[in-house]
């Protein structure tokens, strides 16, 4: 009888652990999904830091608030509501804005510039190799700068992302 009780108890424990495992796996999937989606958003503080890093200009939270109130930054989302599965900083409410809208706005306002200019010599990197190239055109699309480059053999490559290019040092950050 004692053995039957232990088997019954163990089966119950396994059932509970399987339910816990299923719950944790579901939460992990949601966490990863929210983590991926969060990459497309930027907070007020991140905007301030980004402007300072990219242009050297200093702005404050009241400027961000005014831009948001005037609708320049698009729809405002509450980070805790939209990304509840992610660990967020404690304290005041954190507003998030879509990067594509914010970066396009910052570019038109002169707060954001491409790292490279037309005729800059750059190193274009693929997964396997790197090529020397010249920037021939730049455009902003969906909140990011896309470059058209020309390789030494006159091959033109369009829609090159900034992360694929290297050139002069940018404050040690690429």
């Amino acid at each position: 009888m004692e053995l039957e009780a232990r088997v019954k108890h163990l089966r119950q424990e396994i059932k509970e652990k399987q339910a816990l495992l299923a719950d944790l796996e579901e939460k992990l999937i949601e966490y990863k999904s929210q983590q991926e989606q969060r990459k497309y958003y930027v907070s007020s503080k991140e905007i301030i830091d980004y402007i300072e890093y990219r242009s050297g200009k200093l702005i404050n939270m009241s400027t961000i608030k005014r831009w948001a109130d005037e609708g320049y930054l698009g729809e405002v989302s509450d980070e805790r509501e939209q990304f509840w599965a992610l660990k967020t900083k404690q304290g005041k409410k954190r507003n998030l804005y879509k990067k594509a809208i914010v970066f396009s706005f910052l570019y038109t306002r002169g707060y954001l510039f491409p790292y490279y200019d037309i005729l800059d010599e750059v190193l274009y990197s693929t997964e396997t190799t790197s090529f020397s190239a010249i920037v021939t055109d730049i455009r902003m699309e969906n909140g990011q700068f896309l470059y058209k480059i020309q390789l030494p053999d006159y091959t033109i490559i369009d829609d090159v992302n900034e992360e694929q290019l290297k050139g002069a040092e940018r404050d040690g950050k690429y």
Side-chain angles (χ1 to χ4, degrees):
M1 286 301 183
E2 184 182 322
L3 190 54
E4 284 178 1
R6 286 180 61 195
V7 167
K8 185 178 178 183
H9 177 71
L10 187 56
R11 282 193 175 126
Q12 183 60 33
E13 270 188 52
I14 290 171
K15 197 175 186 180
E16 289 170 5
K17 297 296 182 188
Q18 286 174 331
L20 177 62
L21 178 62
D23 185 48
L24 289 175
E25 285 174 337
E26 203 172 290
K27 286 180 181 175
L28 179 61
I29 290 168
E30 183 61 30
Y31 173 81
K32 287 181 177 182
S33 171
Q34 287 188 18
Q35 197 174 36
E36 188 60 34
Q37 286 300 311
R38 176 61 173 87
K39 292 177 185 178
Y40 297 101
Y41 289 85
V42 63
S43 72
S44 301
K45 175 73 171 114
E46 290 167 341
I47 294 170
I48 290 170
D49 293 344
Y50 196 76
I51 289 172
E52 183 177 1
Y53 171 69
R54 288 297 289 251
S55 71
K57 296 178 182 178
L58 299 175
I59 63 167
N60 57 36
M61 281 293 184
S62 61
T63 302
I64 302 293
K65 173 123 177 60
R66 182 171 36 86
W67 287 344
D69 290 346
E70 292 173 5
Y72 295 128
L73 304 180
E75 184 180 330
V76 181
S77 301
D78 182 338
E79 184 173 34
R80 287 191 186 102
E81 285 179 19
Q82 188 161 354
F83 299 105
W84 53 266
L86 302 179
K87 184 175 175 83
T88 60
K89 295 181 181 177
Q90 297 299 316
K92 295 182 181 178
K93 177 179 172 180
R94 287 176 42 109
N95 292 328
L96 295 179
Y97 313 91
K98 288 187 178 176
K99 275 185 184 179
I101 294 168
V102 170
F103 288 176
S104 294
F105 168 73
L106 294 177
Y107 177 62
T108 60
R109 283 289 178 103
Y111 287 101
L112 184 61
F113 306 98
Y115 282 129
Y116 307 105
D117 206 351
I118 293 176
L119 298 182
D120 277 356
E121 220 175 299
V122 294
L123 192 62
Y124 168 61
S125 299
T126 65
E127 290 181 12
T128 56
T129 189
S130 297
F131 302 95
S132 184
I134 300 289
V135 175
T136 60
D137 193 30
I138 308 163
R139 74 179 190 285
M140 169 148 301
E141 189 173 297
N142 293 326
Q144 67 176 345
F145 290 105
L146 296 176
Y147 295 81
K148 182 183 283 189
I149 60 170
Q150 180 177 332
L151 301 178
D153 67 359
Y154 302 104
T155 302
I156 302 290
I157 302 174
D158 205 0
D159 299 333
V160 177
N161 194 311
E162 273 185 338
E163 288 77 36
Q164 294 175 280
L165 301 177
K166 290 186 181 173
E169 282 288 323
R170 300 181 309 227
D171 301 328
K173 299 177 184 176
Y174 283 101

